[in-house]
Amino acid sequence: MASTTSTEQSGLFAHLLPAFTQASGIVVKVVALGTGQALDMGRRGDADVLLVHDQAAEEKLVAEGFALKRYPVMFNDFVLIGPAADPAHAKGHDIGQALAQLAATQAAFISRGDKSGTHAAELRYWKLTPAPDAKGSGYRACGCGMGPALNIASSTGAYVLADRGTWLSFKNRGDLAVLVEGDKRLFNQYGVLVVNPAQHPHVKALEAQKFVDWVVSAPGQAVIASYKIGGEQLFFPNAASVR
């Protein structure tokens, strides 16, 4: 399975996959990388199943014939993280206004810059600002996963967009805090897709479909819902509600 760094670094797979193996006898090997790279693995036939979070890109992969039906699985949300003192005064509930404030104050901002689902979302949010291409002199792309991006932000006092799941599992917070949340545009949907065996006959499509069927079933969805850190739920199953 090719999947996002957020599902792996948040600890979800360590919780979810043993339950699937117990139910099916199938062992899943995960390659965790940005959603864009995960989709490219599917396009090349280097993965059997994809669990990612960029719906437009997922639907494009299906339209191109490289993946079968896209199934919604779960959601959480994105949050803007930054120094608790918030020197740029970005705190609030409007992600567009917050990013505009970061640009105006030349605040340090760490972008994933890796064509991940989080990076794609970040670029969408910049389009909500008056000057999307003017991100300020403090804007830096790390070309890295969510955990490393948070580590850089923690060590440098920078702002960063993160998925809530990885943030809740992040240990090295320093003085970082959630500054922007609650904007409905920060909704973060995950989907799962089987790579099309008509394009790549070597793909283990039957086993991949068994994983899809299980993760969107009531037992699989219950396992997702049961994953918590410090009593706080990281991902919210919604396979049935959005079909």
Side-chain angles (χ1 to χ4, degrees):
M1 177 164 58
S3 189
T4 72
T5 59
S6 61
T7 46
E8 196 271 336
Q9 292 175 357
S10 66
L12 175 66
F13 282 149
H15 176 79
L16 180 71
L17 294 182
F20 171 65
T21 298
Q22 184 176 17
S24 66
I26 298 170
V27 176
V28 180
K29 179 181 178 181
V30 176
V31 177
L33 61 179
T35 282
Q37 294 170 298
L39 292 171
D40 284 343
M41 282 189 65
R43 192 173 279 108
R44 296 191 304 267
D46 292 337
D48 305 307
V49 64
L50 314 171
L51 202 163
V52 286
H53 64 140
D54 185 348
Q55 184 168 344
E58 295 160 36
E59 291 171 347
K60 183 174 185 288
L61 196 74
V62 173
E64 292 171 343
F66 291 106
L68 303 179
K69 178 180 176 181
R70 173 191 177 275
Y71 297 79
V73 177
M74 62 190 183
F75 70 93
N76 61 10
D77 61 344
F78 293 110
V79 288
L80 183 68
I81 305 297
D86 191 21
H89 304 290
K91 189 171 183 176
H93 301 287
D94 187 310
I95 187 62
Q97 288 183 8
L99 292 179
Q101 186 65 16
L102 296 186
T105 58
Q106 311 297 319
F109 181 90
I110 304 302
S111 169
R112 290 274 299 272
D114 62 349
K115 298 183 179 179
S116 62
T118 303
H119 182 216
E122 177 218 315
L123 295 179
R124 290 196 304 271
Y125 301 145
W126 280 109
K127 291 179 181 178
L128 303 174
T129 67
D133 294 327
K135 300 179 177 68
S137 61
Y139 186 90
R140 298 286 185 275
C142 68
C144 62
M146 194 69 259
L150 282 165
N151 276 322
I152 295 170
S154 177
S155 64
T156 62
Y159 294 79
V160 62
L161 184 76
D163 70 281
R164 192 182 293 270
T166 307
W167 167 247
L168 288 173
S169 62
F170 185 59
K171 307 300 183 186
N172 184 31
R173 294 189 178 184
D175 70 343
L176 294 181
V178 175
L179 298 176
V180 179
E181 61 183 334
D183 187 329
K184 64 181 181 180
R185 294 169 295 190
L186 292 170
F187 179 80
N188 180 29
Q189 177 70 49
Y190 289 79
V192 64
L193 311 86
V194 175
V195 174
N196 190 351
Q199 293 281 355
H200 301 290
H202 64 277
V203 163
K204 298 180 177 66
L206 292 177
E207 292 88 344
Q209 189 62 52
K210 286 182 180 178
F211 173 74
V212 170
D213 292 342
W214 179 82
V215 81
V216 302
S217 72
Q221 295 275 282
V223 175
I224 292 171
S226 69
Y227 182 54
K228 299 179 180 180
I229 293 180
E232 191 162 355
Q233 187 171 333
L234 276 70
F235 299 93
F236 297 84
N238 65 344
S241 63
V242 291
R243 286 184 187 174

